[in-house]
Amino acid sequence: MFINHALGPCRLARSRASGRVSRMIGRLYTVVIDCPDPDELAGFYEKLLSLSRQADTGDFVVLQDAAGTPVVLFQRVDDFRAPRWTDPARPQQMHIDVMVTNLDTAEAQVLALGATLLDGSDKPIGYRVYADPVGHPFCLITPEGA
């Protein structure tokens, strides 16, 4: 499934009967990403998102934000099968949007970290689609693409 960034950020849920905004059920605690080597993939995302390690057991690594809140957890999966961009037999499984100020500058930085620009990402204004070192898609977006 491809996210249409032109639609903007997620909208708040509205009750069909009243049209009022529903109360939040919970808050995002962490995003869990399966991978073959948690240490290696966590290192990529530490640099991409300016996060630090909160925990590292060998089988999982937890990255935290500056406030110490867990944000992303990488867990080892021995039979990991990487997603393939636009292949419905191996869907993207998850992706992360990363807000940047300049797509060209950010692209050079993520490519240097080991990301790959995905085929079919036509570099429109507002966002571009990449794969992390083990194949998970992620997008660099600018305010125009949000």
Side-chain angles (χ1 to χ4, degrees):
M1 181 168 114
F2 184 73
I3 302 300
N4 182 348
H5 292 282
L7 297 177
C10 295
R11 307 284 188 239
L12 294 173
R14 294 190 180 271
S15 164
R16 290 183 187 209
S18 70
R20 289 184 282 191
V21 175
S22 302
R23 287 191 177 180
M24 178 175 48
I25 294 173
R27 66 178 176 81
L28 178 64
Y29 180 69
T30 188
V31 174
V32 179
I33 301 175
D34 293 349
C35 59
D37 184 342
D39 179 62
E40 184 177 316
L41 192 57
F44 172 83
Y45 280 98
E46 279 178 295
K47 294 171 185 153
L48 175 66
L49 302 173
S50 297
L51 299 173
S52 61
R53 290 187 188 217
Q54 182 182 66
D56 186 343
T57 70
D59 284 331
F60 72 87
V61 174
V62 179
L63 299 184
Q64 65 185 1
D65 63 16
T69 304
V71 178
V72 186
L73 183 148
F74 302 88
Q75 68 182 8
R76 181 180 312 281
V77 173
D78 292 329
D79 61 346
F80 176 76
R81 291 186 54 199
R84 287 196 185 131
W85 180 246
T86 70
D87 180 352
R90 306 243 325 249
Q92 62 179 314
Q93 304 163 16
M94 69 90 204
H95 84 266
I96 296 173
D97 287 344
V98 179
M99 183 67 68
V100 298
T101 56
N102 182 291
L103 285 173
D104 293 328
T105 300
E107 178 174 287
Q109 293 170 327
V110 299
L111 294 176
L113 288 175
T116 304
L117 183 65
L118 292 175
D119 290 338
S121 179
D122 58 359
K123 297 187 178 189
I125 294 172
Y127 70 95
R128 295 181 191 156
V129 185
Y130 303 83
D132 69 20
V134 298
H136 295 113
F138 70 93
C139 296
L140 296 180
I141 63 172
T142 61
E144 301 85 19

